[in-house]
Amino acid sequence: MRSSSAAAALVLGATFLALPMSVQAQAPVQTPPIVQVPPPDVSAGRPADTLPGRPPTLPGADGWSMTIGVAPVISPVWQGSRDTALSLFPDIRFNYKDVIFASIPEGLGWNAVNSDGWRAGPLAKIRFGRDEERGGSPFLITGGSDALLGLGDVSAAAELGGFAEKRIGPWRGRVEARRGFGGHEGVLVDGSVAYQARLGRTILSFGPRATVASKDYMRTYFGIDPVQSQRSGLAPYRPGGGLLSFGVGSSVIHPLDRRSVLTLFSGLDRLGGEPGDSPLVRERGRRMQFTLGLGYGFRFGL
């Protein structure tokens, strides 16, 4: 039963581990790093669901499955904000075996390569925009900021690209590269490294992460043109491309049974030089960003 619970954490825990950085990135459920934890037998190189006498590790593991989850999250109102907001993020995801995955946090992807600890394939995500009155979360419950007034809204964007990850023992590294279409036309590259450890049934994970963005992305979210300057009172600013943010993420995953799991997650990130030097951040925000959330997920076969 313990292996089955751990296997549930493998998929269900990932439901919410994408949230910390995503909340800060004006895309409520967007971006890296999704830390997936293998059950002990998988770490040893033998799939848990193929061991003699052991049932499938997850409901729907041999076909389509669906996960329903929810997570209250405390985070900055917008990336770079000094104000804090409480949002309630829903999550619905579909998986076909270990081949196709679809959800707002992880996007739509295909594990075209899935062997010897490697996973890689194409990836598509959606980045919700930024509202000058409400900030970056469409799931806002309480909290807000008036710092964006005069800058206008940023529309939602589709981001197309790919990912690659490698697992070596308890270590996992992942890289994503995506190009935006719509609300922003920039390029983003996310990188993360995570170490996973086990304490009884509870799974701990932590590690560094960073995001690099092109000038098109930076200018959409941190640039200030003459019209915006006149309306907002902030000095004009045209950032270049470079380091968007860097920090650490952590999670504590506790499986309740084969189908459900609780995930406590947090992230502490600092904006890079180009976004940090924006008058928007210097005068109305701060470079250090902290996120804390608690997620619950339930998985069942279709």
Side-chain angles (χ1 to χ4, degrees), residues 15 18 56-57 63 75-76 80 86 113 116 119 149 164 185 200 204 215 231 244 262:
T15 299
T57 56
S75 67
L86 172 64
V113 176
D116 299 324
R119 288 189 183 186
L149 293 176
E185 303 292 327
L204 311 176
K215 65 180 180 180
R231 292 176 177 174
L244 175 60
L262 286 175

Side-chain angles (χ1 to χ4, degrees), residues 10 18 20 32 52 68 97 110 113 124 142 174 194 258 265 273 289:
L10 165 65
I68 297 177
K97 297 183 178 180
W110 170 37
V113 176
T142 183
R174 181 180 177 95
R258 290 185 67 238
F265 54 87
Q289 306 278 278

Side-chain angles (χ1 to χ4, degrees), residues 101 106-113 120-124 160-163:
F101 55 90
E106 294 179 321
L108 173 62
W110 170 37
N111 289 320
V113 176
L123 182 67
L160 306 180
F163 71 95

Side-chain angles (χ1 to χ4, degrees), residues 208-250:
R209 61 194 184 189
T211 299
V212 176
S214 68
K215 65 180 180 180
D216 297 292
Y217 180 90
M218 296 286 198
R219 290 174 184 175
T220 298
Y221 286 102
F222 300 99
I224 303 171
D225 62 30
V227 175
Q228 291 174 320
S229 176
Q230 184 178 15
R231 292 176 177 174
S232 66
L234 296 169
Y237 182 65
R238 284 177 59 84
L243 181 64
L244 175 60
S245 66
F246 62 96
V248 293
S250 64

Side-chain angles (χ1 to χ4, degrees), residues 2-278:
R2 177 172 297 180
S3 295
S4 296
S5 297
L10 165 65
V11 176
L12 297 178
T15 299
F16 302 105
L17 294 177
L19 286 174
M21 287 194 70
S22 55
V23 174
Q24 298 168 14
Q26 285 87 37
V29 271
Q30 170 74 34
T31 325
I34 300 169
V35 183
Q36 298 177 337
V37 185
D41 298 304
V42 173
S43 297
R46 189 176 188 184
D49 57 0
T50 62
L51 295 180
R54 179 167 296 174
T57 56
L58 285 170
D62 58 346
W64 285 97
S65 64
M66 180 179 181
T67 301
I68 297 177
V70 65
V73 179
I74 298 173
S75 67
V77 180
W78 45 272
Q79 189 174 27
S81 175
R82 65 172 65 137
D83 300 309
T84 301
L86 172 64
S87 299
L88 185 64
F89 291 93
D91 182 38
I92 300 177
R93 65 181 59 224
F94 295 90
N95 292 81
Y96 179 69
K97 297 183 178 180
D98 196 21
V99 179
I100 298 173
F101 55 90
S103 68
I104 299 179
E106 294 179 321
L108 173 62
W110 170 37
N111 289 320
V113 176
N114 191 356
S115 63
D116 299 324
W118 282 98
R119 288 189 183 186
L123 182 67
K125 290 186 174 183
I126 182 171
R127 180 178 297 269
F128 293 109
R130 187 181 69 185
D131 189 295
E132 68 174 341
E133 296 181 352
R134 290 179 54 85
S137 171
F139 306 109
L140 182 71
I141 294 179
T142 183
S145 171
D146 59 3
L148 299 173
L149 293 176
L151 298 180
D153 298 338
V154 178
S155 301
E159 295 179 353
L160 306 180
F163 71 95
E165 67 177 57
K166 173 66 174 178
R167 186 184 299 279
I168 303 177
W171 292 93
R172 173 181 175 273
R174 181 180 177 95
V175 176
E176 289 186 15
R178 305 180 308 278
R179 202 270 193 188
F181 298 88
H184 79 83
E185 303 292 327
V187 175
L188 297 105
V189 178
D190 304 316
S192 65
V193 176
Y195 178 82
Q196 294 108 38
R198 188 181 300 276
L199 184 61
R201 294 176 58 197
T202 302
I203 302 164
L204 311 176
S205 180
F206 60 91
R209 61 194 184 189
T211 299
V212 176
S214 68
K215 65 180 180 180
D216 297 292
Y217 180 90
M218 296 286 198
R219 290 174 184 175
T220 298
Y221 286 102
F222 300 99
I224 303 171
D225 62 30
V227 175
Q228 291 174 320
S229 176
Q230 184 178 15
R231 292 176 177 174
S232 66
L234 296 169
Y237 182 65
R238 284 177 59 84
L243 181 64
L244 175 60
S245 66
F246 62 96
V248 293
S250 64
S251 68
V252 179
I253 303 173
H254 183 73
L256 303 177
D257 51 42
R258 290 185 67 238
R259 296 176 177 269
S260 59
V261 68
L262 286 175
T263 303
L264 176 68
F265 54 87
S266 64
L268 180 63
D269 298 273
R270 181 176 175 83
L271 296 181
E274 293 294 323
D277 287 339
S278 171

